[in-house]
Amino acid sequence: MKQIVDSILNFIETMNKYPQEECTIVKNGGVRYRSELVKLQVDEKINLSPELKFFYEHCEIICDIRHDGHKLKNTSVDLGNSLLDLCSPENLIYRQEGFRWIGTDLKENPEWNPYWLVIADINDDPVVVVTDKEGSPVMASYESGALFPIANSFSNFLDYLSITIELIQGKYNGEIIDDESFEFLEGFIEDLKERISKINHNDELVGNFIDYLYG
C-alpha cells in the first residue's frame, strides 16, 4: 500500500499548496487526511477496491456548500478550465444513478459491470474505477459513451491529478486559457504530456487522460 499512501499524501499536499479561490456560488470543501480512521458510511451495494477503501478511510471528502446553505455531494478540484467533482463516500450510491442503476425505478443496468464505480466527473462525464482489478484501474467516458482507460491504477490517477494541479498553478499561475483566442496557452498540453509521461510511458493512456480533461 506504500504507493497509494504516497499518492494520497502528495495529492492532498498539492491541493493544500494551491487552495481554490472562493466563488460567489459555492463555498469550497476539500480533501483532508484523517488523523484517526472512521467507519465508512458506504452503502453495502457499493463495491470498493482495497485502494479506494484505504483512500476513503484515510481521507475526509469535505463537500462544497452553496451560499444558500445547501450541501453538495462532492468537492471540486480546479483543473484550470473546468472542475473535477470528487464524490464523497456516503454519496457514492447516488452517483451510480444513470450508470449502474437506470430508469425511473432505478433498475440494475444489464450492460454495466457492478464493479465499475463512478467516483467523480467533469461536467457529468464520469470517472470510473474498476474495483475488482489489481491496482484499481481508472476509466472515463464522454456522457453515456464507451469507457476508455485513463490510468493503470487509482494511485496513478491521483498522481496525474497532482501533476496537473502543480503545472497549472506552479507554472501557469492558474491561467491556461488565452484571453483573446480562448485556446489553451501555447505549450500547456505539451508540458502536461511531458510531465505525466515521466511516470507512465504509455502514450495512448497519457493521451486519453489529457483528452478527457482538455479534449
Side-chain angles (χ1 to χ4, degrees), residues 2-111:
K2 184 180 185 306
Q3 184 177 4
I4 189 65
V5 172
D6 291 344
S7 298
I8 289 171
L9 292 177
N10 186 43
F11 174 63
I12 294 176
E13 180 181 353
T14 304
M15 288 190 66
N16 290 339
K17 183 178 178 181
Y18 302 108
Q20 297 182 53
E21 294 183 6
E22 296 288 353
C23 73
T24 57
I25 302 174
V26 173
K27 180 180 180 181
N28 296 325
V31 182
R32 182 167 55 202
Y33 198 80
R34 299 184 192 274
S35 57
E36 296 182 3
L37 299 186
V38 297
K39 184 178 180 180
L40 290 181
Q41 296 179 339
V42 177
D43 191 279
E44 61 182 9
K45 293 186 290 294
I46 295 297
N47 299 307
L48 292 180
S49 65
E51 290 80 10
L52 277 182
K53 185 173 184 292
F54 187 90
F55 175 72
Y56 291 127
E57 283 179 340
H58 290 79
C59 296
E60 180 184 5
I61 310 297
I62 306 168
C63 293
D64 297 340
I65 300 176
R66 291 197 319 223
H67 285 289
D68 63 5
H70 177 73
K71 187 176 182 181
L72 303 181
K73 294 181 172 65
N74 52 263
T75 191
S76 57
V77 179
D78 187 359
L79 298 174
N81 71 327
S82 60
L83 298 174
L84 182 143
D85 292 322
L86 181 63
C87 190
S88 63
E90 63 270 21
N91 290 308
L92 286 172
I93 187 71
Y94 307 110
R95 194 62 193 87
Q96 311 316 303
E97 294 177 6
F99 298 98
R100 182 175 171 184
W101 293 291
I102 56 175
T104 55
D105 51 357
L106 297 178
K107 289 185 177 180
E108 194 93 16
N109 182 355
E111 298 182 1

Side-chain angles (χ1 to χ4, degrees), residues 163 167 171 187-201 206 210:
I163 289 170
L167 177 64
K171 182 173 181 178
F188 168 69
I189 296 298
E190 291 75 13
D191 281 346
L192 182 57
K193 182 177 181 180
E194 180 181 356
R195 294 190 183 201
I196 295 178
S197 295
K198 289 180 179 179
I199 61 173
N200 189 320
H201 304 299
V206 173
I210 294 175

Side-chain angles (χ1 to χ4, degrees), residues 94-147:
Y94 307 110
R95 194 62 193 87
Q96 311 316 303
E97 294 177 6
F99 298 98
R100 182 175 171 184
W101 293 291
I102 56 175
T104 55
D105 51 357
L106 297 178
K107 289 185 177 180
E108 194 93 16
N109 182 355
E111 298 182 1
W112 188 265
N113 187 323
Y115 291 96
W116 294 347
L117 185 67
V118 181
I119 65 159
D121 66 86
I122 298 176
N123 298 323
D124 291 328
D125 294 336
V127 174
V128 177
V129 174
V130 184
T131 62
D132 64 338
K133 300 293 184 183
E134 183 178 358
S136 305
V138 182
M139 303 188 294
S141 76
Y142 301 114
E143 297 182 350
S144 58
L147 292 167

